[in-house]
């Protein structure tokens, strides 16, 4: 084989394996084998520089630093979208679209994409080969970031098609996944370098590097969602077809998208994605609605610099500036001390925020947050608001750095910090420290534990402060009189609490174990412990050897469980709770290590014909399996029912076996 042929074969193989790894998530060769091929091509190109082509994967590692970015004129302007925030904005958009098309009575077909929080980029392919990339800039002129974009492994350097367009401008967003952002900031911390405030800044900072070797070390991704210039091919009929065409050519698109009818379809998707938002691997700040058909898009056209056929429906702002009024410390149920910033009220992410966590002492010092500082506050989904960074330029004179108190502000016990822990703790324990007592009681009553309806923070505060309740067993000694004497407690509400306490007595063993608040025993470990021991007395008497047999229990968790039950106070508490009437259905003891799904992870998708999600999960867990929420290479089976969506598609792409309910039941009874 000639050197030119060898270089072409190696290039094609590396491009194909890169695509399988970075886009499809189904590599067919090992990393070491890939590296071997890469080295062979690098060597060949060194010996024959004339064989180096612009789609060579060896260029992905970055090239010589540039003196500056040159300017690129966009063939078709990269315009921005009008924004809507409220449902009414969406209804008005839909009305304008229908009226603009003289079709006020029909429901329009809309395509919906996520509005990724990244940077808009234009990728130009000439005859199927990646030729240039440019930022959006002012929409008409951007910056040439070709060498940096080339380092993004999921972007094909050559399109996977035998009939590429003569020229294609792919529009989309470069972003950084949340997990890659965390890793990058960890690396920045290790190097003593400045951290990035959020994934968007990290993506922007990584892309605007004159030295593309730095970009190559950052994990950036790309999702395509639009098109600019197209020559030598026919434009697909709809936006959705465009994305499918891109996918067929190896250009990454996001699988979270939809085609819906009418404004109600738009709003339903918006709400479903709002619920899912925190679980997405990347940050989004809203969704984008577009008429699906390109011919209708063209008929509507543009108004000033934005299309009439599309709108971004944004989520309420998630970051805002405010002032730190004070820094106090909170004591959690395990004694963990958390510094909390008291803030001047600020509206962020749809609510008014007055407190934000500062996590721990190190974090306050690292971010150097001080009383009087102007800070950026972030609220993401249901997550507790946090202070992201302070703005030192706006700091008042004579401000003081934060120092953690030596004594617990609640019980006065010493605060200590173990060497290997970032968290400082109050040493008072349940008995001395009312904050720990309240935290433990709140946990016991919480939804995933004994689920005592109405037993909230304010009620527990009163019950503890008035010495009516000390341990969870005291909840079940409460009478109508004691409750009715509390502030803001009418007889009816008191009776509701008593009814909720009664209802909570019928529980499950996993809930009961979780409710005890043993350190390191969360919901999932409680479930594993209940399945393994099937009996509370057996768990209380378990030694380390037995505990280590339980799924996901290691020495630290085992030690924590043993020391909890080594305390006669805790054993007595369990006995008192059971004596007060708390009970659960018996669990049949099974040897999970030999069960059909031992060590396997299953994902449920769609509606199963007869089993509810909870029933299917219980079946799987009782046979040693774990139920996960998303499909990956590590998924053992996907159980699919009617209307299974993107999870089923992903399973098929990754070659994960798919089970029907019938097959699941057959495996369970084998
Ligand atoms: O379909 C889209 C998805 C996401 C977009 C979009 C977007 O921004 C993150 N932005 C524009 C300007 C357009 N479509 C036209």
């Amino acid at each position: 084989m000639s050197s030119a042929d060898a270089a072409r074969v190696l290039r094609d193989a590396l491009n194909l394996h890169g695509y399988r790894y970075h886009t499809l998530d189904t590599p067919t060769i090992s990393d070491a084998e890939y590296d071997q091929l890469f080295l062979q091509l690098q060597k060949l190109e060194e010996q024959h520089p004339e064989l180096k082509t612009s789609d060579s994967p060896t260029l992905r590692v970055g090239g010589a630093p540039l003196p500056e970015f040159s300017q690129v004129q966009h063939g078709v302007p990269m315009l921005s979208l009008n924004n809507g925030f409220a449902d009414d904005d969406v209804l008005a958009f839909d009305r304008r679209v229908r009226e603009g098309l003289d079709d006020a009575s029909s429901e329009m077909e809309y395509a919906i994409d996520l509005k990724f929080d990244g940077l808009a980029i234009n990728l130009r392919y000439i005859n199927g080969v990646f030729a240039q990339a440019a930022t959006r800039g002012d929409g008409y002129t951007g910056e040439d970031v070709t060498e940096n974009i080339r380092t993004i492994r999921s972007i094909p350097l050559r399109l996977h098609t035998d009939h590429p367009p003569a020229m294609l401008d792919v529009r989309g967003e470069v972003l950084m996944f949340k997990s890659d952002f965390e890793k990058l900031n960890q690396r920045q911390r290790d190097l003593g370098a400045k951290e990035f405030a959020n994934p968007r800044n990290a993506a922007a900072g990584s892309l605007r590097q004159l030295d593309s070797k730095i970009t190559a070390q950052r994990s950036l991704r790309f999702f395509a969602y639009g098109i600019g210039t197209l020559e030598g091919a026919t434009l697909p009929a709809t936006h959705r077809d465009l994305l499918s065409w891109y996918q067929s050519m190896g250009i990454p698109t996001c699988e979270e998208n939809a085609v819906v009818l009418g404004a109600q379809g738009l709003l339903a998707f918006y709400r479903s994605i709002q619920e899912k938002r925190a679980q997405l691997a990347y940050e989004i700040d809203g969704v984008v609605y577009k008429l699906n058909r390109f011919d209708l898009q063209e008929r509507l056209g543009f108004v000033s610099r934005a299309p009439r056929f599309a709108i971004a429906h944004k989520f309420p702002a998630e970051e805002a500036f405010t002032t730190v009024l004070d820094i106090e410390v909170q004591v959690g149920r395990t004694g963990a001390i958390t510094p909390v910033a008291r803030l001047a009220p600020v509206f962020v992410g749809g609510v008014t925020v007055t407190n934000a966590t500062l996590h721990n002492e190190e974090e306050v010092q690292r971010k150097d947050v001080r009383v009087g500082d102007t800070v950026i506050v972030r609220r993401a989904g249901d997550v507790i608001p946090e202070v992201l960074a302070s703005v030192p330029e706006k700091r008042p004179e004579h401000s003081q750095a934060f120092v953690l108190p030596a004594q617990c502000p609640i019980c006065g016990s010493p605060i200590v910090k173990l060497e290997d822990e970032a968290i400082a703790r109050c040493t008072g324990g349940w008995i001395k420290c009312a904050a720990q007592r309240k935290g433990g009681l709140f946990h016991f009553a919480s939804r995933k534990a004994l689920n005592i309806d109405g037993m909230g923070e304010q009620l527990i505060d009163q019950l503890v402060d008035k010495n009516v309740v000390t341990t969870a067993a005291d909840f079940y000694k409460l009478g109508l009189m004691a409750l009715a004497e509390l502030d803001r407690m009418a007889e009816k509400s008191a009776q509701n609490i008593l009814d909720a306490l009664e209802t909570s007595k019928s529980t499950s063993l996993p809930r009961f174990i979780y409710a005890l608040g043993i350190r390191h025993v969360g919901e999932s470990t409680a479930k594993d412990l209940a399945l393994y021991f099937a009996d509370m007395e057996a768990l209380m008497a378990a030694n380390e050897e037995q505990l280590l047999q339980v799924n996901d229990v290691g020495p630290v968790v085992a030690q924590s469980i043993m020391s909890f039950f080594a305390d006669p106070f805790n054993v007595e508490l369990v006995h008192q709770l059971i004596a007060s009437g708390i009970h659960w259905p018996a669990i049949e003891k099974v040897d999970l290590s030999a069960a059909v799904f031992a060590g396997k992870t299953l994902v449920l998708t769609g509606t199963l014909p007869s089993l509810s999600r909870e029933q299917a999960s219980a079946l799987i867990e009782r046979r040693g399996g774990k139920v996960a929420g998303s499909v990956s290479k590590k998924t053992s089976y996907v159980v699919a029912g009617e209307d299974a969506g993107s999870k089923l598609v992903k399973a098929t792409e990754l070659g994960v076996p798919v089970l029907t309910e019938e097959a699941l039941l057959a495996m369970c009874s084998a």
Side-chain angles (χ1 to χ4, degrees), residues 131 209 302 330 381 403 510 559 572:
Q209 292 287 339
F302 292 80
Q330 260 175 8
V403 183
Q559 202 50 53
E572 177 56 23

Side-chain angles (χ1 to χ4, degrees), residues 79 81 113-116 173 225 288 290:
L79 299 181
L81 295 170
D113 293 317
L114 302 187
K115 188 156 191 330
F116 316 106
E173 201 89 349
Y225 55 68
V288 176
K290 295 180 179 161

Side-chain angles (χ1 to χ4, degrees), residues 383-421:
V383 182
I384 303 168
E386 64 170 339
V387 172
L388 271 190
S390 74
V391 185
E393 305 81 63
K394 294 199 175 173
R395 172 165 289 161
E397 268 181 62
H398 313 301
S399 71
Q400 306 272 312
F402 171 76
V403 183
L404 198 75
Q407 265 108 31
C408 171
I410 307 297
C411 71
S413 302
I415 288 177
V416 297
K417 193 152 123 193
L418 297 180
E419 247 174 51
D420 52 348
E421 278 202 329

Side-chain angles (χ1 to χ4, degrees), residues 263-274:
Q264 292 312 318
L266 298 176
L267 293 175
F269 184 87
Y270 177 84
R271 300 203 210 301
S272 73
I273 212 71
Q274 231 178 351

